[in-house]
């Protein structure tokens, strides 16, 4: 069956987010062995990652794919899908095509039936059946560091560019729209003159290269910045070395196919003797490779735009690129088919093959958790080294690289020297404060394995200064409504000083603008600033005070929960839409917060409501036409519920179902922000979490926990699929849909009925993935996520 990803934990950096997708599709592995030493154990050494060198930048391994595929194809869920009329027709059409002489399918089938091609197809299937991996050498770290530097230089150049270039483009576009007759008659002559003038301007400016940047950004500035970054980092201009490995039980066939490929390559390159010399056979430790070398000098560098010569450092960059080779190698090394792309094949001499005496990746400390679980049926392994983690994640240098460009920003570059120093000082202060809370990257490793109920796995992150607190149990799970479709609860480190520092920095920035920016505002803009300063700024300061002294102070221990549910039902979502004969689930997102002082939180809410009325009056004072005379923010509707109170506001003018209302629920231990008062009422009382309860109870101290009722989500989506299908049928039949109509099965045409029957089967098959949970805690100086899921095949008919 499928191993589907259960969820995505909140990550501190976007480039790493994909690393939390731990469960793979159709992955599993057999071998295991002693827990003490991977390299020395025969079973563990059969894992592909065991031959990867210790200094690998990253690794991704997939194992036992064929076994998982066979299980999937033997499942009742797949059998049900294959029995669908549309699928049966597609399969029958394919089989008919295979038996029809001259058809593409029969031609391809005949091609595969040739002995040598059949051997190649079997080899390919064998290569991905049991164990495959891809890893990157340390050169990948250098390459990615260069990518980051280029991005930083381009961003800094764009950040510092004059805003005037964008205005010029707009003017040109507006002029081009003029279509009066005189302009058309003079167009040809004007075009010739414009071309000459533009050519002269380009000569004066130095260049006008199209580097794919936005029209409003100074392309010349960015081009020069990029080439300067390249010239300053010549040592980082490398060909990243990547290696793919595929375990094979058909080594003899692999050798034969390699010889066949060499013969074919020689025939194709026979007309190019110089190029043919680039195709050679090379021995490596444990095997032999077919190697093709693309010399950097062979690239048509003379065809590059001549304007590149005007950019400082361009010649150094081109010389560096000329010195690089691109080497593609394919061959058989031990029991592995190896594909390598890089600047040479030297890195393949580091493979930790059996009897080589070299220590492989699994001997690193980061893999000790995997070694301890080596008796599990491992399904996949992933790894990112600390050096690569430092490069791909956000760091202090990302912001510091932008600071020098501040002096060239429009509105700052003309300031006196002392003013610029104040701006730079504030920017450095903001950077220092931000850096205090920035996680420090470390190595990262994940693995998954088959369990009795489905799939299971761990993610280990050795990054430091994490923003999560895993010292206590997440008791907020008792206020999520009992059995939501999905829930995530985290506890973040609480740092009141960080909030105060942020407020101080924001206030300092506003004062700086008032000191140096206000004198430059003339006329209406200056008046608007003064009005904002008089009417709105004091309210903003009061809002910050209320939030800090009452709202934030009343919330307990940094927990926050996100809930998704669909227990509400409606037959008419919105007045302008047709109704439904069957109830439709309402999507219900919510946020839940723990309270340590419910009375103080209630006072804070009251103060915010009052502040909202004052804000309305302030806006009216600034612009009498902005808010109708006598308008006030509507009073909320108050409802008593079990263990608390819910306030809700009708969404006037939207004509949505009255159940959909912004709501605030307040009990003694929890506050709920939702779009449904009934949901808020369900979440206030304490209740046992049922979602994912067959997998965990979330009783241990955790930093984050999550549970998903995947089958429940499918059940919530299904009625909407039917509703939309019926809507489309009526739209197609009548040209429009009457809002007073109630859509029912009688509105379905024959095609829709058939489609909905097939969709029902597909959705039931998808529900084989029942539920999933994840728990994140701190263990052995690492943040560890343990995830599990439940997969059950469709019941027999």
């Amino acid at each position: 069956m499928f191993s589907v990803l259960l969820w995505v934990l909140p990550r501190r950096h976007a480039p790493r987010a994909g690393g939390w997708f731990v469960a793979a599709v159709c992955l599993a592995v057999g071998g295991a062995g002693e827990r003490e030493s991977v390299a020395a154990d025969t079973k563990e050494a059969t894992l592909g990652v065991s031959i990867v060198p210790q200094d690998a930048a990253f690794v991704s391994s997939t194992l036992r794919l064929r076994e998982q595929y066979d299980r999937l194809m033997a499942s009742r869920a797949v059998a049900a899908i294959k029995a669908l009329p549309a699928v049966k027709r597609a399969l029958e059409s394919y089989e008919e095509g295979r038996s029809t002489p001259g058809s593409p399918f029969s031609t391809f089938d005949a091609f595969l039936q040739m002995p040598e091609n059949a051997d190649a197809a079997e080899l390919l299937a064998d290569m991905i059946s049991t164990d495959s991996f891809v890893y990157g050498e340390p050169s990948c770290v250098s390459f990615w560091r260069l990518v980051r530097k280029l991005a930083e230089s381009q961003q800094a150049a764009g950040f510092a560019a004059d805003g005037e270039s964008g205005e010029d483009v707009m003017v040109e576009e507006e002029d081009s729209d003029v279509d009066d007759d005189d302009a058309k008659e003079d167009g040809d002559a004007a075009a010739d003159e414009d071309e000459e003038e533009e050519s002269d301007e380009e000569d004066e400016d130095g260049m006008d290269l199209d580097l794919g940047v936005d029209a409003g950004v100074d392309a010349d500035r960015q081009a020069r910045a990029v080439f300067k970054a390249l010239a300053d980092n010549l040592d980082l201009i490398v060909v990243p070395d990547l290696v793919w490995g595929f375990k094979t039980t058909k080594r003899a066939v692999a050798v034969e196919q390699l010889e066949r490929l060499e013969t074919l390559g020689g025939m194709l390159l026979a007309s190019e003797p110089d190029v043919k010399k680039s195709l050679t056979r090379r021995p490596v430790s444990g095997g032999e490779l077919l190697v093709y070398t693309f010399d950097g000098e062979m690239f048509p560098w003379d065809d590059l735009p001549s304007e590149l010569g005007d950019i400082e450092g361009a010649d150094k960059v081109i010389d560096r690129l000329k010195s690089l080779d691109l080497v593609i190698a394919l061959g058989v090394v031990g029991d592995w088919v190896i594909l390598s792309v890089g600047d040479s094949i030297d890195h393949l001499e580091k493979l930790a093959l059996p009897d080589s005496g070299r220590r492989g990746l699994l001997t690193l400390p980061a893999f000790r958790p995997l070694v301890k679980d080596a008796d599990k049926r491992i399904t996949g392994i992933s790894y990112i080294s600390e050096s690569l983690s430092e490069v791909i994640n956000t760091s202090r240098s990302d912001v510091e690289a932008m600071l020098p460009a501040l002096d060239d920003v429009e509105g700052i570059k003309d300031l006196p020297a002392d003013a610029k120093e104040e701006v730079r000082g504030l920017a450095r202060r903001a950077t220092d404060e931000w850096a205090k809370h920035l996680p420090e990257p470390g190595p990262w490793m994940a693995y998954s394995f088959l369990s009795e109920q489905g799939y299971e796995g761990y993610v280990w992150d050795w990054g430091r200064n994490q923003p999560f607190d895993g010292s206590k149990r997440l008791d907020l799970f008792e206020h999520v409504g009992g059995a939501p479709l999905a829930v995530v609860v985290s506890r973040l480190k609480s740092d009141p000083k960080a909030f105060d520092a942020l407020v101080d920095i924001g206030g300092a920035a506003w004062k700086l603008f008032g000191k140096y920016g206000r004198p430059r505002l003339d006329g209406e803009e200056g008046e608007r600033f003064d009005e904002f300063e008089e009417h709105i700024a004091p309210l903003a300061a009061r809002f910050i005070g209320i939030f800090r002294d009452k709202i934030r102070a009343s919330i307990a221990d940094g927990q926050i929960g996100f809930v998704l549910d669909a227990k509400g039902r409606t037959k008419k979502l919105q007045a302008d839409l047709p109704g439904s004969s069957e109830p439709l689930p309402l999507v219900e997102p919510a946020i839940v917060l723990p309270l340590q002082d419910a009375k103080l939180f209630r006072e804070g809410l009251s103060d915010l409501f009052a502040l909202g009325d004052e804000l309305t009056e302030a806006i009216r004072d600034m612009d009498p036409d902005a808010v109708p005379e006598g308008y006030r923010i509507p009073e909320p509707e108050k409802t008593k519920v079990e263990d608390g109170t819910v306030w809700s506001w009708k969404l006037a003018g939207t004509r949505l179902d009255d159940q959909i209302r912004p709501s605030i629920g307040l009990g003694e231990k929890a506050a709920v922000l939702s779009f449904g008062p009934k949901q808020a009422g369900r979440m206030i009382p304490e209740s046992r979490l049922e979602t994912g309860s067959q997998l965990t109870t979330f009783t241990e101290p955790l930093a984050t926990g999550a549970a998903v009722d995947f089958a429940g989500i499918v059940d919530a989506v299904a009625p909407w699929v039917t509703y939309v299908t019926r809507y489309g049928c009526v739209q197609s039949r009548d040209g429009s849909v009457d809002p007073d109509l109630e859509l029912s099965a009688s509105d379905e045409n024959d095609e829709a009925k058939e489609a909905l029957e097939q969709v029902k089967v597909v959705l039931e098959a998808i529900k084989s993935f029942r539920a999933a949970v994840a728990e994140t805690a701190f263990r052995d100086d690492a943040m560890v996520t343990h995830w599990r899921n439940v997969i059950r095949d469709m019941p027999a008919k």
Side-chain angles (χ1 to χ4, degrees):
M1 290 300 301
F2 282 111
S3 171
V4 187
L5 175 64
L6 119 81
W7 70 309
V8 184
L9 270 176
R11 292 290 292 157
R12 62 181 187 268
H13 307 305
R16 283 264 210 97
W20 291 92
F21 280 110
V22 187
V25 177
C26 306
L27 303 182
V29 72
E34 296 295 328
R35 298 172 178 265
E36 305 302 328
S37 173
V38 177
D41 187 274
T42 303
K43 292 182 179 180
E44 291 172 358
T46 61
L47 293 177
V49 294
S50 67
I51 71 171
V52 175
Q54 279 191 333
D55 61 353
F58 72 89
V59 172
S60 179
S61 177
T62 301
L63 304 104
R64 245 171 126 180
L65 186 58
R66 181 69 192 195
E67 179 182 337
Q68 297 305 296
Y69 173 79
D70 289 342
R71 289 188 180 188
L72 175 65
M73 298 309 293
S75 68
R76 290 186 291 271
V78 170
I81 293 176
K82 290 172 68 175
L84 294 174
V87 178
K88 289 179 67 176
R89 287 194 294 268
L91 294 175
E92 290 170 357
S93 176
Y94 171 70
E95 290 299 328
E96 182 180 354
R98 289 182 59 191
S99 61
T100 302
S103 71
F105 289 123
S106 65
T107 302
F108 182 69
D109 190 56
F111 175 79
L112 290 181
Q113 294 303 319
M114 297 173 62
E116 60 271 27
N117 294 332
D119 288 344
E122 290 181 7
L123 174 63
L124 289 174
D126 179 70
M127 286 164 54
I128 63 173
S129 293
T130 57
D131 194 344
S132 62
F133 63 82
V134 58
Y135 76 89
E137 283 284 316
S139 56
C140 292
V141 178
S142 299
F143 179 80
W144 194 257
R145 183 173 285 115
L146 178 64
V147 171
R148 291 293 298 270
K149 287 184 177 295
L150 294 181
E152 290 170 1
S153 65
Q154 194 173 30
Q155 290 172 2
F159 185 50
D162 277 337
E164 297 176 1
S165 61
E167 296 174 2
D168 292 341
V169 172
M170 293 301 296
V171 172
E172 291 172 4
E173 291 177 352
E174 292 172 2
D175 291 343
S176 67
D177 289 336
V178 177
D179 59 358
D180 90 275
D181 295 336
D182 291 338
K184 289 181 178 179
E185 293 174 359
D186 296 339
D188 293 339
D192 293 339
E193 294 176 5
D194 289 343
E195 288 178 3
E196 293 177 3
E197 291 175 3
E198 289 172 4
S199 177
D200 293 339
E201 290 172 0
E202 289 171 13
D203 290 341
E204 292 173 2
D205 293 339
M207 63 172 293
D208 185 19
L209 290 177
D210 180 8
L211 296 181
V213 296
D214 294 338
V217 178
D218 189 340
D220 180 78
R221 181 194 297 267
Q222 290 200 354
R224 295 179 185 281
V226 166
F227 271 91
K228 184 179 187 305
L230 288 171
D232 290 343
N233 297 277
L234 293 177
D235 59 320
L236 298 181
I237 302 179
V238 298
V239 178
D241 299 305
L242 300 172
V243 179
W244 288 263
F246 306 90
K247 185 68 174 288
T248 180
T249 60
K250 300 179 179 294
R251 191 179 191 281
V253 176
V255 172
E256 291 176 1
Q257 292 298 320
L258 188 66
E259 293 173 351
R260 182 185 177 201
L261 186 62
E262 181 181 17
T263 301
L264 179 61
M267 293 172 59
L268 293 175
L269 300 176
S271 60
E272 299 287 344
D274 292 337
V275 179
K276 186 177 180 179
K277 294 178 181 178
S278 300
L279 185 65
T280 60
R281 269 185 178 266
R282 298 270 300 277
V284 295
S285 177
E288 193 172 30
L289 302 172
L290 182 62
V291 180
Y292 178 77
T293 302
F294 186 91
D295 193 329
E297 295 283 354
M298 297 169 60
F299 190 85
W301 300 106
D302 295 337
D303 295 339
L304 293 176
S306 59
E307 292 92 338
L308 286 177
D310 297 332
I311 301 180
E312 181 182 359
D315 54 342
K316 295 181 181 179
V317 174
I318 293 176
D319 288 342
R320 172 60 177 169
L321 293 173
K322 287 181 179 180
S323 69
L324 298 177
D325 293 335
L326 174 63
V327 179
I328 302 173
L330 177 66
V332 182
V333 179
D335 293 331
W336 297 86
V337 174
I338 297 293
L339 171 64
S340 171
V341 177
D343 63 352
S344 72
I345 62 170
D346 294 344
H347 52 273
L348 296 179
E349 296 292 348
K350 300 189 301 179
L351 291 176
L353 296 168
D355 301 325
S356 68
R358 291 183 286 271
R359 297 170 63 83
L361 189 72
L362 293 185
T363 61
L364 292 177
F367 284 89
R368 288 172 184 166
L370 173 61
V371 173
K372 293 179 180 179
D373 273 343
D375 57 337
K376 308 290 186 183
R377 293 186 292 168
I378 306 297
T379 63
I381 304 169
S382 299
Y383 167 74
I384 297 176
S385 68
E386 182 168 357
S387 58
L388 182 59
S389 182
E390 291 174 351
V391 174
I392 65 178
N393 288 296
T394 305
S395 66
R396 180 190 182 102
S397 63
D398 296 332
V399 176
E400 290 180 335
M402 304 288 289
L403 295 182
L406 281 176
D407 289 349
D408 295 326
V409 173
E410 186 70 19
I412 296 179
K413 64 181 181 181
D414 297 331
L415 291 176
D418 56 342
K420 286 185 178 181
E421 184 55 37
E422 285 190 63
V423 173
R424 286 193 293 266
L426 181 60
R428 285 192 294 267
R429 179 184 169 193
T431 300
D432 291 340
E433 185 60 35
W434 175 71
K436 291 179 184 177
H437 307 281
L438 190 66
E440 301 173 16
W444 179 95
M445 189 272 293
Y447 60 95
S448 55
F449 51 89
L450 287 167
S451 66
E452 293 183 1
Q453 293 183 298
Y455 285 80
E456 189 171 345
Y458 289 88
V459 179
W460 292 71
D461 187 345
W462 283 271
R464 300 164 294 279
N465 197 32
Q466 299 282 3
F468 300 102
D469 178 1
S471 61
K472 293 178 285 186
R473 175 177 173 268
L474 296 172
D475 51 14
L476 199 58
F477 275 117
E478 297 172 358
H479 293 279
V480 297
L485 295 181
V487 56
V488 178
V489 176
S490 296
R491 178 180 281 109
L492 303 174
K493 293 178 180 177
S494 180
D495 185 1
K497 293 182 179 180
F499 177 81
D500 293 339
L502 179 63
V503 172
D504 289 344
I505 290 172
W510 181 255
K511 289 181 180 178
L512 272 181
F513 183 79
K515 182 178 180 180
Y516 298 110
R518 173 60 184 91
R520 300 185 175 205
L521 299 178
D522 297 325
E524 186 176 349
E525 288 185 347
E527 292 176 2
R528 287 180 180 177
F529 177 88
D530 293 339
E531 290 176 345
F532 187 91
E533 179 81 4
E534 178 183 357
H535 297 286
I536 305 298
L539 298 183
R542 287 177 54 192
F543 171 83
I544 292 172
I546 294 170
F547 181 83
R548 178 185 57 217
D549 300 333
K550 295 186 177 181
I551 300 296
R552 192 177 185 280
S554 63
I555 296 175
D557 71 5
Q559 286 186 85
I560 182 170
F562 300 92
V563 176
L564 179 67
D565 217 336
K567 291 185 172 61
R569 294 291 185 270
T570 183
K571 286 195 170 185
K572 195 175 182 66
L573 179 65
Q574 204 264 353
D576 295 330
L577 292 174
S580 172
S581 59
E582 293 91 18
L584 300 171
L586 288 174
V587 178
E588 300 172 324
I591 296 174
V592 58
L593 301 169
L595 296 179
Q596 62 182 4
D597 191 334
K599 180 181 179 181
L600 184 61
F601 188 87
R602 188 179 293 108
E603 291 178 3
L605 289 181
S606 298
D607 291 346
L608 290 178
F609 295 157
L611 191 64
D613 291 332
E614 293 185 43
L615 178 61
T616 302
E617 292 298 326
I619 294 175
R620 185 184 291 116
D621 290 341
M622 293 175 59
D623 184 358
D625 297 329
V627 182
E629 184 65 31
Y631 173 82
R632 292 178 60 85
I633 296 176
E635 290 292 326
E637 182 178 306
K638 183 178 179 180
T639 305
K640 285 289 185 180
V641 297
E642 181 183 354
D643 295 338
T645 305
V646 175
W647 292 268
S648 62
W649 289 261
K650 291 185 177 181
L651 294 172
T654 64
R655 307 184 73 190
L656 287 168
D657 186 306
D658 193 52
Q659 298 177 77
I660 304 175
R661 300 182 179 190
S663 305
I664 299 177
L666 185 60
E668 288 301 314
K669 295 184 178 180
V672 179
L673 311 177
S674 74
F675 282 96
K678 290 184 178 180
Q679 181 189 23
R682 291 195 306 268
M683 294 173 62
I684 291 174
E686 290 186 9
S687 59
R688 179 177 177 271
L689 177 65
E690 299 294 336
T691 307
S693 59
Q694 67 269 52
L695 294 169
T696 185
T697 56
F698 296 109
T699 55
E700 300 298 323
L702 296 173
T704 296
V708 178
D709 177 4
F710 195 79
I713 293 176
V714 173
D715 287 337
V717 169
W720 284 102
V721 173
T722 302
Y723 176 83
V724 171
T725 302
R726 292 172 178 174
Y727 186 100
C729 290
V730 175
Q731 177 77 30
S732 177
R733 183 189 67 202
D734 301 336
S736 62
V737 183
D738 188 344
D740 295 328
L741 182 66
E742 185 176 81
L743 300 177
S744 65
S746 62
D747 294 307
E748 300 169 9
N749 55 37
D750 292 340
E751 292 82 1
K753 290 181 184 295
E754 180 181 359
L756 287 175
E757 285 298 322
Q758 298 187 53
V759 168
K760 180 180 179 181
V761 174
V762 173
L763 292 179
E764 285 298 320
I766 293 175
K767 285 170 60 177
S768 296
F769 180 38
R770 306 298 298 175
V773 300
E775 300 166 295
T776 299
F778 288 92
R779 187 191 311 172
D780 298 335
D781 298 325
M783 187 169 70
V784 183
T785 298
H786 180 200
W787 61 267
R788 285 154 282 181
N789 61 34
V790 175
I791 300 174
R792 296 176 186 163
D793 199 0
M794 290 177 63
K797 291 184 179 180

